[in-house]
Amino acid sequence: MAQGGSKLTAEFNEKAKASLGKFTRRQVMELDTCAHCGLCTDNCPAYNESKDPLHAPGVRSAMAVKLYDRKYNFLTRLFGNTEITVKDVEELSESAYHCTLCGRCMESCPFGFQTHELWTRVREIVADLDGTPVNVGRLAGMLEENMNPYGLDPDERLDWVDYTDLDEVPEKEEAEVAYFVGCTTAFKGANHEVAFSIASILDEVGEDWTVLGEEEWCCGNPSLLSGDEHTAKEYAEHNVKELERRGVKKVITGCAGCYRVFRFEYPKLLGREPNFETLHSVEYLRDVLVSGKLKLEATDEKVIYHDPCELSRLSGVISAPREALKYLTNNPLEFEEKGIDVRCCGGGGLLQAVNNDMRLDIVSRRLEEAVEKGADILVSACPACKLAFTDGVRERGFEIEVLDLLELAARQLGVF
Amino acid sequence: MNSILTSIYAFSVQRLPYITLIVTFMGVALRVMRWRSSPPDPEKIKIDPVESVKYVILDVVLFRKTWKTDKAMWLALFLFHGSVAGIVFGHLRGFHIWSITLFEAFGHAFAEFMVHTLPIYVGYVFIITQVYFLARRVMLENKQLTSMPNDYIALVLLLMKSIAGQGMRLVAPEAVPTALYSVVFIPRFVVLHLETIPNSHWFHIHIILTQLFIMYVPFSKFIHIITGVITPAIYGSRRKQIDR
């Protein structure tokens, strides 16, 4: 970060002005409307763990509008402080990255601000001002080199096939359905069984399906979450081109982040709708269970479902997993905070890269509740949630099995 | 009354309303220009009238989200905004938008209660809820929230004007004229008709503070009087687009 005493250089302040000017019309209106009532704070998973005012969404809003006013408010520019300091950028970064981007503040805000987009924009500004935390910054390098945020070779993308009981997965030049595996499923051992489960179910139903193999690049979500829209656009263009080239009509992904990005961000990044439909694996599972294409016997185990924030609150997929779950267990359980009001597991927003202890504290609350409810199995529908839960179980010693919903289905199918 | 006060009071009725009008419109124009000069949103949200109205009713009229989060705050918000609606409606009688005959169908005693007794209680509710908001803000400051100076200025200004308004009700009027007493702010457009001649000090303090408050609205968080309807309407349409 450029430094000049506590103040940044004039050039940097010009850059700050240009960057702050990225707040859209609606976002400036939202910042102007925010009454700093603090109601968003009551449900914020990050603030509730740290109790640090910097982590409160309303305080972030106040910080953002103060900086914006320094460059764009007529009266402030005439009579007030117009400089942006190192401390300002550091505080904004601390605030922006101690957030899981779960969007719960949107559901607490009386004015219904689109906070997920607002906080992502704040991260973009932080990135422009060189304030991105070091660990998050490393992601960019790994993404650039390997097209995934884990720094692993792209040819390892299908290694999950070798680690599971699957003989092979189809890599076709033309197919009706594409399974977009996602980096966190493909590269993280804890999620390999999720990919195996989805592949097994697609085979069982008899779909004409394919994976993209090495041609699958990161969906772009980590880039968007760290304020790098340019890279996300590059990935969006590549993935959509590859899928459309193969004549794919339906893209299925088991990752809530990939799903949200495909449905809502790709049209914005590309300026058009892709020529295929995007489904989350739980929607697909629900469809094949309801239509009778897949027949399963329900277990008597008590199963509690955790809504991934990116799937439920931010993408509106709330009933599909519950409808599917009815076919999988005779004893479904629910968290108190669920659906649109789900409490985040801590696995999102790149929080792990910035403050893993906070992530574990957040996930522990969720695990505590699941155990109190008497659940045998905690299921979710997102590889980041599954990782958070498995880390929580391991690190904090909870006695509960953690599965993806599709893994539960595959288990009932008898594939493992 | 000394001549300085007389001049100020005359100014508050004869000149200040024009200044209020100009400053308020300029303030709103500046706000709109600020928003217009920002880049448009990349995502076009199709406004769904039914969903927008639904969420405006749920979130702005009924405070659905606050109910889920903080019941005490919900009660305070509901009472505060309810009393605002009642007070604004009550003032419209003075501007001859409606009259006591509106309630006469339910009996004279009821009509008297509605126009003379109930407003006093509503005034107390209005003040108490504002004190609650102010106290809550002070207590949560630098813990759960960070206020901007205008958050306090707006609230204090509103509280002062409310106390002045309530004071006017509690202090005996200066006279009870046989005909209505008219206060002409803007000839033919803004003329207040009163049954009594209120205490001059309370009345003029109230109208000065009210006009300062109106001028301050576009520069303060009270801009949510306008935008607080727009953002939930967008939220409602967005939810409709998202939900599967």
Side-chain angles (χ1 to χ4, degrees):
Chain A
M1 193 184 300
Q3 296 189 21
S6 64
K7 285 181 180 176
L8 297 168
T9 61
E11 188 189 349
F12 211 87
N13 267 277
E14 275 309 302
K15 195 171 158 190
K17 184 179 179 183
S19 184
L20 287 159
K22 288 180 180 174
F23 278 120
T24 66
R25 225 164 260 177
R26 177 160 49 82
Q27 288 169 340
V28 178
M29 190 191 283
E30 287 172 350
L31 290 174
D32 284 349
T33 305
C34 179
H36 311 123
C37 62
L39 284 168
C40 50
T41 307
D42 289 333
N43 291 320
C44 173
Y47 173 79
N48 275 300
E49 294 307 331
S50 69
K51 300 292 179 197
D52 182 338
L54 271 186
H55 303 159
V59 173
R60 190 174 310 128
S61 161
M63 288 160 72
V65 80
K66 264 183 207 166
L67 295 186
Y68 186 84
D69 279 349
R70 284 189 201 164
K71 299 297 173 191
Y72 290 97
N73 185 300
F74 172 68
L75 292 174
T76 309
R77 292 182 69 195
L78 273 182
F79 306 110
N81 172 23
T82 60
E83 293 296 309
I84 289 178
T85 65
V86 174
K87 192 166 174 255
D88 293 328
V89 179
E90 284 173 352
E91 284 183 351
L92 194 63
S93 175
E94 163 84 12
S95 178
Y97 280 93
H98 279 84
C99 166
T100 61
L101 290 174
C102 70
R104 186 80 192 271
C105 41
M106 173 177 74
E107 285 308 317
S108 309
C109 173
F111 301 116
F113 299 157
Q114 315 284 312
T115 51
H116 182 273
E117 288 174 19
L118 197 57
W119 307 145
T120 308
R121 181 75 65 201
V122 169
R123 287 187 179 193
E124 195 178 336
I125 290 160
V126 166
D128 289 345
L129 303 180
D130 303 331
T132 301
V134 178
N135 283 352
V136 177
R138 286 196 188 115
L139 282 178
M142 291 192 271
L143 278 162
E144 196 179 344
E145 205 174 318
N146 302 298
M147 313 308 170
N148 70 74
Y150 298 106
L152 295 167
D153 279 343
D155 63 5
E156 292 177 39
R157 201 172 263 282
L158 288 179
D159 276 5
W160 59 269
V161 181
D162 302 331
Y163 297 139
T164 59
D165 291 341
L166 215 59
D167 295 330
E168 57 177 355
V169 285
E171 271 189 85
K172 299 179 189 169
E173 279 301 297
E174 213 168 296
E176 280 286 309
V177 175
Y179 170 35
F180 192 90
V181 185
C183 306
T184 308
T185 307
F187 294 111
K188 287 285 178 182
N191 286 313
H192 284 166
E193 299 288 355
V194 179
F196 170 60
S197 302
I198 294 175
S200 303
I201 287 168
L202 288 168
D203 278 341
E204 178 71 18
V205 175
E207 295 285 0
D208 168 24
W209 69 283
T210 184
V211 290
L212 297 184
E214 284 184 41
E215 288 307 323
E216 179 182 312
W217 288 8
C218 171
C219 67
N221 202 20
S223 303
L224 286 170
L225 301 186
S226 53
D228 180 3
E229 202 175 288
H230 178 76
T231 305
K233 190 179 176 187
E234 190 189 330
Y235 294 169
E237 281 168 351
H238 171 84
N239 287 327
V240 169
K241 194 177 116 195
E242 276 299 316
L243 290 160
E244 288 181 344
R245 187 177 67 76
R246 292 168 202 239
V248 168
K249 298 281 177 291
K250 198 184 279 180
V251 173
I252 296 171
T253 180
C255 173
C258 297
Y259 175 78
R260 186 188 67 77
V261 168
F262 265 72
R263 254 188 81 194
F264 302 110
E265 301 295 344
Y266 277 14
K268 281 191 270 181
L269 292 167
L270 302 175
R272 69 172 178 90
E273 289 287 338
N275 294 329
F276 50 77
E277 182 194 6
T278 305
L279 282 182
H280 190 275
S281 53
V282 294
E283 292 180 289
Y284 176 77
L285 180 66
R286 184 264 320 265
D287 292 347
V288 293
L289 286 170
V290 170
S291 66
K293 286 183 187 168
L294 185 68
K295 289 188 169 49
L296 301 173
E297 201 172 312
T299 175
D300 285 329
E301 288 171 302
K302 290 178 186 163
V303 181
I304 195 160
Y305 175 69
H306 165 82
D307 290 275
C309 307
E310 288 198 277
L311 188 63
S312 55
R313 186 161 37 240
L314 301 178
S315 299
V317 179
I318 293 167
S319 60
R322 288 171 172 76
E323 286 167 33
L325 200 58
K326 281 184 204 161
Y327 291 84
L328 305 179
T329 176
N330 296 317
N331 292 304
L333 298 174
E334 288 277 13
F335 283 100
E336 293 304 315
E337 294 163 288
K338 59 181 186 291
I340 207 165
D341 292 316
V342 65
R343 175 178 280 271
C344 179
C345 69
L350 309 175
L351 181 65
Q352 186 180 11
V354 179
N355 190 340
N356 193 46
D357 286 340
M358 179 186 267
R359 169 178 170 261
L360 291 173
D361 290 342
I362 294 171
V363 80
S364 294
R365 285 192 187 239
R366 208 68 180 150
L367 285 163
E368 267 166 28
E369 191 184 342
V371 171
E372 275 169 23
K373 294 257 178 190
D376 301 308
I377 305 171
L378 190 163
V379 293
S380 189
C382 170
C385 296
K386 194 186 166 195
L387 271 187
F389 284 125
T390 48
D391 286 354
V393 165
R394 191 182 60 245
E395 300 286 329
R396 305 283 166 99
F398 287 96
E399 294 280 331
I400 191 165
E401 189 178 6
V402 176
L403 290 176
D404 187 276
L405 195 62
L406 272 285
E407 284 180 290
L408 183 64
R411 204 168 78 170
Q412 300 306 100
L413 192 63
V415 297
F416 65 88
Chain B
M1 202 186 310
N2 73 41
S3 62
I4 296 172
L5 268 186
T6 309
S7 307
I8 292 171
Y9 289 172
F11 176 81
S12 70
V13 174
Q14 293 160 10
R15 296 282 178 266
L16 195 57
Y18 294 98
I19 297 170
T20 303
L21 212 58
I22 291 164
V23 172
T24 307
F25 276 109
M26 274 178 59
V28 171
L30 278 171
R31 279 281 180 183
V32 173
M33 276 165 62
R34 172 176 156 108
W35 299 329
R36 290 286 301 170
S37 64
S38 309
D41 288 280
E43 185 190 6
K44 295 277 169 274
I45 296 173
K46 250 191 276 170
I47 294 295
D48 181 314
V50 175
E51 290 301 307
S52 293
V53 170
K54 180 178 132 188
Y55 279 97
V56 167
I57 291 170
L58 284 173
D59 292 349
V60 181
V61 180
L62 301 175
F63 302 102
R64 174 187 65 110
K65 289 180 178 172
T66 312
W67 171 259
K68 288 195 291 187
T69 307
D70 183 339
K71 301 283 190 287
M73 185 63 169
W74 177 85
L75 184 65
L77 276 176
F78 201 78
L79 290 173
F80 171 77
H81 287 89
S83 55
V84 168
I87 288 165
V88 169
F89 180 72
H91 276 68
L92 294 181
R93 188 170 73 94
F95 292 100
H96 278 185
I97 306 295
W98 62 276
S99 72
I100 192 169
T101 54
L102 185 71
F103 297 112
E104 292 286 4
F106 303 99
H108 183 69
F110 180 76
E112 278 292 317
F113 171 79
M114 289 301 283
V115 301
H116 290 129
T117 311
L118 184 62
I120 296 172
Y121 295 110
V122 173
Y124 282 125
V125 171
F126 191 43
I127 290 167
I128 290 165
T129 52
Q130 286 175 72
V131 171
Y132 171 78
F133 292 147
L134 201 55
R136 179 182 177 277
R137 187 170 286 281
V138 171
M139 282 167 65
L140 298 184
E141 195 67 67
N142 293 324
K143 294 187 190 93
Q144 258 180 267
L145 51 87
T146 302
S147 301
M148 313 274 282
N150 69 26
D151 292 323
Y152 282 105
I153 296 170
L155 209 47
V156 170
L157 202 52
L158 184 65
L159 184 60
M160 283 163 55
K161 98 177 186 66
S162 311
I163 290 168
Q166 189 74 346
M168 206 165 50
R169 290 184 194 284
L170 301 177
V171 173
E174 290 189 354
V176 181
T178 48
L180 285 176
Y181 168 68
S182 295
V183 185
V184 181
F185 292 101
I186 297 177
R188 286 187 293 166
F189 288 106
V190 187
V191 182
L192 184 62
H193 306 280
L194 299 173
E195 289 166 353
T196 61
I197 300 174
N199 176 282
S200 179
H201 298 305
W202 285 103
F203 175 73
H204 286 98
I205 290 168
H206 178 64
I207 62 166
I208 289 168
L209 290 171
T210 299
Q211 290 176 92
L212 287 176
F213 174 76
I214 292 169
M215 281 188 262
Y216 195 54
V217 164
F219 302 95
S220 74
K221 295 300 167 188
F222 280 105
I223 194 71
H224 80 248
I225 293 167
I226 303 164
T227 54
V229 179
I230 298 170
T231 51
I234 294 172
Y235 167 87
S237 295
R238 182 83 185 276
R239 277 249 71 90
K240 175 77 175 172
Q241 257 172 262
I242 287 175
D243 288 344
R244 274 194 163 174

